[in-house]
Amino acid sequence: MASYRERDVVMAATMYYLQDMKMETIARHLRTSRSTVSRLIKRARETGVVEITLRPGPSRAPGLGQEIAERHGIDAYVVPVSDSATDDDRLQQVSITTARLLARWFDSDMVLGVAWGTTLAAITEHLPHKPTRGSAVVQLNGAANTRTSGMSYAGDLISGFGTAFDASVHYFPVPAFFDFAETKAAMWRERSVRRVLDVQARADIALFSVGALTGGVPSHVYSAGYLDPDDVAVLDDEGVVGDVCTVFVRADGTYRDIPLNSRATGPAPAELRRIPRRLCAVAGGNKVAPLRAALAAGVVTDLVIDEVTAAALVEEP
């Protein structure tokens, strides 16, 4: 009986996929019902009798991914998008791919460090539920500013990752930028702050994007009141092209002598580089310059990027 059923599976699949016959016609040939034919065809797919291959149109994505990987010594995942895709479309496609990769890599007894921002908020919308045990999610940079505590925005974002992975959550209730470097130095000696910094230091994966000063989908740090006009003027004078975890970088990846960084609460590139896997998600042409800076600073091990932005990245600046 089993071999007879197997023969029916093959016959139904052959008539449906190769001979382009309708299910009603197949049912008459096999002297069975249309619903049974539907189950036979489904069985053919499930058992591998039929393999469906998608052959997409011409895409630059594979070649771009290889070029970026070879040039920068990282793993690059280029998401195919059309040249006419909007900034939001590109962001959504990158977010979907990033969420799936993260769910594949993050597991029990691991620590995930998460920055906040427009791209990270989009990623949370696509996280699948993957139960883990003994894992933790920790906020990488403070979110408070002169207008808000930042806890509602960053807290909801970080808790979204914790919920997706059944992980404990460690918030970082400090400002994005202190008013004085001396205040930051004093706070970094407090035990409550040290506890969060210690969890950050144990991170197995860091997830972040890069912030762009202008254009496209606005980066949250520049659009939500985190910087005064005087701060922006200093950044311009210093040749800053963007930020990583609210630490500002120049085009060549340098950052140590930029005054605002002494007041920033995110991990500096030197600290990020201690985390084994550093996943950066980027979408939008305005992110090309800060991404080049992040790559120059050596903070990226894995990059998810949309095809249009990847094409701009490989062009000479």
Side-chain angles (χ1 to χ4, degrees):
M1 183 65 177
S3 61
Y4 174 78
R5 292 292 297 170
E6 183 177 342
R7 185 186 67 180
D8 279 359
V9 168
V10 174
M11 288 179 65
T14 300
M15 287 186 279
Y16 186 76
Y17 287 107
L18 298 183
Q19 299 173 7
D20 201 25
M21 295 172 63
K22 296 183 181 299
M23 289 191 185
E24 292 82 357
T25 307
I26 299 171
R28 287 198 299 271
H29 276 278
L30 297 181
R31 297 185 179 183
T32 187
S33 66
R34 186 185 185 282
S35 61
T36 298
V37 171
S38 178
R39 288 193 292 270
L40 290 171
I41 292 171
K42 180 181 179 183
R43 176 71 175 167
R45 294 195 300 267
E46 292 174 343
T47 58
V49 171
V50 171
E51 294 183 354
I52 298 175
T53 301
L54 177 64
R55 184 172 295 168
S59 172
R60 300 166 293 176
L64 288 169
Q66 183 176 355
E67 183 171 351
I68 293 171
E70 291 176 352
R71 184 181 297 186
H72 299 285
I74 63 173
D75 288 332
Y77 305 84
V78 178
V79 182
V81 295
S82 67
D83 290 345
S84 60
T86 65
D87 286 335
D88 188 61
D89 289 338
R90 292 152 69 179
L91 174 61
Q92 292 305 314
Q93 292 303 312
V94 164
S95 299
I96 291 169
T97 299
T98 304
R100 290 175 179 172
L101 282 173
L102 185 63
R104 185 192 307 170
W105 295 335
F106 188 66
D107 216 327
S108 298
D109 300 316
M110 294 181 70
V111 176
L112 170 65
V114 179
W116 48 258
T118 306
T119 303
L120 277 295
I123 293 170
T124 60
E125 298 175 3
H126 303 287
L127 288 170
H129 183 224
K130 178 183 179 179
T132 64
R133 294 182 178 181
S135 62
V137 176
V138 61
Q139 182 179 336
L140 287 178
N141 46 325
N145 62 28
T146 56
R147 300 179 188 177
T148 172
S149 69
M151 284 305 296
S152 177
Y153 171 76
D156 289 348
L157 191 156
I158 302 300
S159 66
F161 286 90
T163 300
F165 300 122
D166 292 348
S168 62
V169 174
H170 301 267
Y171 301 106
F172 200 24
V174 296
F177 304 96
F178 285 101
D179 288 335
F180 305 99
E182 296 82 1
T183 307
K184 174 187 171 180
M187 285 293 293
W188 258 225
R189 293 193 295 268
E190 290 290 328
R191 284 180 295 173
S192 59
V193 174
R194 288 268 9 131
R195 181 188 63 81
V196 180
L197 293 174
D198 289 343
V199 178
Q200 291 178 4
R202 293 189 284 108
D204 300 281
I205 303 174
L207 175 64
F208 56 92
S209 185
V210 292
L213 275 70
T214 58
V217 178
S219 296
H220 196 76
V221 68
Y222 305 106
S223 63
Y226 285 89
L227 299 174
D228 295 329
D230 289 345
D231 295 330
V232 176
V234 170
L235 296 180
D236 186 56
D237 290 341
E238 291 288 340
V240 167
V241 296
D243 75 277
V244 179
C245 300
T246 61
V247 174
F248 300 103
V249 288
R250 301 186 183 92
D252 61 359
T254 57
Y255 66 93
R256 294 181 186 274
D257 58 340
I258 297 173
L260 266 67
N261 286 342
S262 64
R263 302 192 275 117
T265 56
E271 296 166 316
L272 268 181
R273 288 195 295 266
R274 299 191 188 112
I275 298 174
R277 171 164 262 156
R278 305 179 296 276
L279 175 57
C280 180
V282 174
N286 64 321
K287 298 294 185 76
V288 172
L291 175 56
R292 284 197 179 111
L295 291 167
V299 297
V300 179
T301 62
D302 298 86
L303 173 66
V304 180
I305 185 172
D306 71 272
E307 184 177 349
V308 178
T309 306
L313 176 66
V314 301
E315 294 176 359
E316 289 300 322

